[in-house]
Amino acid sequence: MEPGTARIAVDLLGGDDAPAVVVDGALRALRADPDLHLLLVGPPEFADALIGALDPVHRARITVRPVRDAVGMADHPSAARAESTVRAAVAAVRDGTADALLSAGSTGATVTAAALGLGRWPHVRRPALVATLPAVAGPVVLLDVGGSLEPRPATLARHAVLGAAYASVAHAVAAPRVGLLSVGVEAGKGDRVRRAADPVLAAEPLPCGARYVGLVEGYDVSLGARADVVVTDGFTGNVLLKAVEGAYAMAGGPPASGGAPRGAALLGVGGTVVVCHGAAGADDVASGIALAAHLWRRRAIDQVVALLAGHTPAGHDHTIDTEVTTP
Amino acid sequence: MEPGTARIAVDLLGGDDAPAVVVDGALRALRADPDLHLLLVGPPEFADALIGALDPVHRARITVRPVRDAVGMADHPSAARAESTVRAAVAAVRDGTADALLSAGSTGATVTAAALGLGRWPHVRRPALVATLPAVAGPVVLLDVGGSLEPRPATLARHAVLGAAYASVAHAVAAPRVGLLSVGVEAGKGDRVRRAADPVLAAEPLPCGARYVGLVEGYDVSLGARADVVVTDGFTGNVLLKAVEGAYAMAGGPPASGGAPRGAALLGVGGTVVVCHGAAGADDVASGIALAAHLWRRRAIDQVVALLAGHTPAGHDHTIDTEVTTP
């Protein structure tokens, strides 16, 4: 673990099984990391339940940000109540009360709240979601896993840059190998967007000594033999990630070396934001909080932004821009 | 195992590690199934190696169809030699020497050879590849896994019909639940093709008492809790299947209940055709041969065709038609 305090805002109402699994996950995260501080965002009664379960020695590391809206919205749909808590968690990062935030609520709502509250990076109109799978050969960074469902080739090329910077900064991968996910490794394999994107990625200058290795296959996401960064559209990345998670559940649990990632980082907004999917369990929430703390301690987002400054996309229309809904 | 003799033509030159793994896989298949007969298609010296390794009692169940082209093509690229063997295997099915065929060669070459040699079904211009994943709740039929990379909504609806018929006939699934793979289960989740296809699938009459259950997620492909048949485009299906296979390899092997499928059946051509991917090992080849024998013994392809006759697609242009390359 990297040294240093990390203060993570946790959205108590995010997730299908919130607040129970969020409270449980927060408890596990606190016990595992003595330098972790949590800002619990949501109805105070749920925070009280967590605090009551803690040893007094840990209680000093908990702060509560009551969300009055959520409290007063008992008659509103739970989605609306949860959106008010994720907005409050974003506000805590913006005003410096927290260093990063974790939500297992609607990814679309979190992306929207983070983009509005923390601002977007230059040249990134729609933030990317990046997941890291632990493979035999080392971590494999997969993006996008749900932000841009129908990216253009220029967006995939931008994601190659983002992914290379993230692999280097967040996971200390030296000279990352970057691949484009397709149905075969020979040039020309794939659908129209893959065939159009392959030469665009090959021509894209990559940071951190990264190099483009061409097309890779589904195995490579799980096993990591051919690439450290795998670029794909958010639709494919999302269904693939969930299928791998299901496969590990079928196999009786993740392998010793890791398994499916529990959280995904948001790249493209002005702060450290980690999302878990709605079906997250307590271990997933704890892992997501740990990822947020890790990224903050490495100042990963700031470093990625600095690396991107040297890789401003050329051409007339290389902003990341898709017209689709987020999952 | 279903009763009855099954004569399977095996493409000796198909696959990255052919002929060694094909010969080994054929040997395993023969030993496991006393009513299996194999027609080995390729250079006779490779068939001789297999026959030499067999107990004399098994030798009567082997026939060799030497491919003179392949023998005389030692100086040609291996892909060209392999294509001549898969064409010869297709011819053996067409002329009734074999009941079905297995190839681990190029899927595109096998699909083309099978469509030309065996003919296409009515209303199916591009055959679909269907894989079956063993899930906790029972088998999950996934299609397409590589035939149509960019299907239109009408093609996805046709695949829902094909998948329902196949699940019923090949796997005895009663009243199959059919889902459309997306990034969430709520209506409206997904990219343009998914949002357009969802109402089309909902309106499509399905055979075998099947019903459309709406959108499903990646977990559902591995775990099978929500659907027995999962419909997707061939790009997503292909990368998902390979990622799940990689995950099981990471987890130290497939779970007791199954793991990743080793072969995929071709739906849309006038014969029983099973393909393994190019990286197939001997166990994969043996499983593919067993699948081909199983489908033949159930007369699955004939039964699916008969079921489809009652489900001729309505509308002006519902033939399966994509312009993309096969993987």
Side-chain angles (χ1 to χ4, degrees):
Chain A
M1 196 182 295
E2 306 283 316
T5 299
R7 301 166 304 155
I8 312 301
V10 176
D11 170 11
L12 283 178
L13 289 188
D16 301 345
D17 300 314
V21 300
V22 181
V23 164
D24 192 6
L27 205 56
R28 295 180 197 199
L30 265 183
R31 287 174 176 154
D33 179 351
D35 293 327
L36 181 69
H37 290 241
L38 295 183
L39 178 69
L40 305 177
V41 183
E45 63 271 26
F46 299 140
D48 291 345
L50 193 158
I51 292 167
L54 276 175
D55 292 335
V57 67
H58 291 311
R59 285 183 194 157
R61 295 193 282 126
I62 295 264
T63 312
V64 179
R65 176 167 291 203
V67 177
R68 304 276 164 225
D69 279 2
V71 178
M73 287 169 77
D75 296 336
H76 284 67
S78 59
R81 298 175 68 203
E83 285 188 26
S84 73
T85 57
V86 77
R87 281 198 302 270
V90 165
V93 174
R94 188 181 55 224
D95 69 23
T97 311
D99 300 319
L101 80 87
L102 176 284
S103 177
S106 151
T107 299
T110 304
V111 170
T112 302
L116 289 173
L118 303 171
R120 291 182 183 83
W121 299 353
H123 311 294
V124 176
R125 201 177 298 175
R126 178 174 290 280
L129 275 170
V130 52
T132 303
L133 292 92
V136 174
V140 173
V141 167
L142 175 69
L143 76 169
D144 185 29
V145 299
S148 299
L149 299 190
E150 293 176 84
R152 293 177 301 182
T155 302
L156 293 171
R158 194 69 185 147
H159 284 180
V161 174
L162 290 180
Y166 184 83
S168 173
V169 163
H171 302 300
V173 176
R177 299 161 300 164
V178 178
L180 176 64
L181 188 61
S182 194
V183 295
V185 299
E186 304 89 353
K189 290 285 187 186
D191 57 3
R192 271 172 297 196
V193 71
R194 259 40 74 156
R195 284 176 286 150
D198 185 33
V200 178
L201 266 72
E204 184 80 26
L206 299 175
C208 307
R211 66 191 169 86
Y212 178 61
V213 297
L215 303 183
V216 300
E217 295 182 271
Y219 320 109
D220 300 306
V221 177
S222 311
L223 297 171
R226 204 180 265 126
D228 307 299
V229 176
V230 174
V231 174
T232 191
D233 64 277
F235 183 87
T236 304
N238 184 285
V239 298
L240 183 156
L241 201 60
K242 290 172 179 170
V244 165
E245 196 174 328
Y248 285 133
M250 273 287 288
S257 52
R262 273 82 176 278
L266 203 54
L267 295 182
V269 298
T272 303
V273 179
V274 171
V275 298
C276 292
H277 59 68
D283 277 341
D284 302 325
V285 169
S287 290
I289 292 171
L291 174 60
H294 170 82
L295 295 175
W296 169 254
R297 285 168 174 148
R298 288 201 167 217
R299 302 298 189 274
I301 300 301
D302 287 350
Q303 283 198 65
V304 170
V305 170
L307 285 165
L308 292 186
H311 287 264
T312 304
H316 58 293
D317 187 19
H318 278 216
T319 52
I320 289 184
D321 177 22
T322 51
E323 67 276 44
V324 299
T325 56
T326 51
Chain B
M1 196 183 295
E2 305 284 317
T5 298
R7 302 166 305 155
I8 312 300
V10 176
D11 170 11
L12 281 178
L13 290 187
D16 301 346
D17 300 313
V21 299
V22 180
V23 165
D24 194 4
L27 206 55
R28 294 181 198 199
L30 265 184
R31 287 175 177 154
D33 179 350
D35 293 326
L36 181 69
H37 290 241
L38 295 183
L39 178 70
L40 305 176
V41 184
E45 63 271 27
F46 299 139
D48 291 346
L50 192 159
I51 292 167
L54 275 176
D55 293 334
V57 66
H58 292 312
R59 284 181 195 159
R61 295 193 282 127
I62 296 265
T63 313
V64 179
R65 176 167 291 204
V67 178
R68 304 275 164 225
D69 279 3
V71 178
M73 287 169 76
D75 295 336
H76 284 66
S78 59
R81 298 174 69 205
E83 285 187 28
S84 73
T85 58
V86 77
R87 279 197 304 271
V90 165
V93 174
R94 188 181 54 224
D95 68 23
T97 311
D99 300 320
L101 80 87
L102 178 283
S103 178
S106 153
T107 299
T110 304
V111 170
T112 301
L116 289 173
L118 303 172
R120 292 183 182 85
W121 298 353
H123 310 295
V124 177
R125 200 176 299 175
R126 178 174 290 280
L129 276 168
V130 53
T132 303
L133 292 92
V136 174
V140 173
V141 167
L142 176 68
L143 77 168
D144 184 32
V145 300
S148 298
L149 299 190
E150 294 176 81
R152 294 175 302 180
T155 302
L156 292 172
R158 194 72 186 144
H159 284 179
V161 174
L162 289 180
Y166 184 82
S168 173
V169 163
H171 302 301
V173 176
R177 298 161 301 163
V178 178
L180 175 65
L181 188 61
S182 194
V183 296
V185 297
E186 304 89 353
K189 289 285 186 185
D191 56 4
R192 269 172 298 195
V193 71
R194 258 42 72 157
R195 283 176 286 149
D198 185 32
V200 178
L201 267 72
E204 185 79 25
L206 299 175
C208 307
R211 66 191 169 87
Y212 178 61
V213 298
L215 303 181
V216 301
E217 296 182 271
Y219 319 109
D220 300 305
V221 178
S222 311
L223 297 171
R226 204 180 266 123
D228 307 299
V229 176
V230 174
V231 174
T232 191
D233 63 278
F235 183 88
T236 304
N238 185 284
V239 299
L240 183 157
L241 201 60
K242 290 172 178 169
V244 164
E245 196 173 327
Y248 284 132
M250 273 288 287
S257 53
R262 272 84 176 278
L266 204 53
L267 294 183
V269 298
T272 303
V273 179
V274 171
V275 298
C276 292
H277 59 68
D283 277 341
D284 302 323
V285 170
S287 289
I289 292 171
L291 173 62
H294 170 80
L295 294 175
W296 169 255
R297 284 168 174 148
R298 288 201 168 219
R299 302 298 189 274
I301 300 301
D302 287 350
Q303 283 199 64
V304 170
V305 170
L307 285 166
L308 292 187
H311 287 266
T312 305
H316 60 290
D317 186 19
H318 278 216
T319 54
I320 289 184
D321 177 23
T322 52
E323 68 275 45
V324 300
T325 56
T326 51

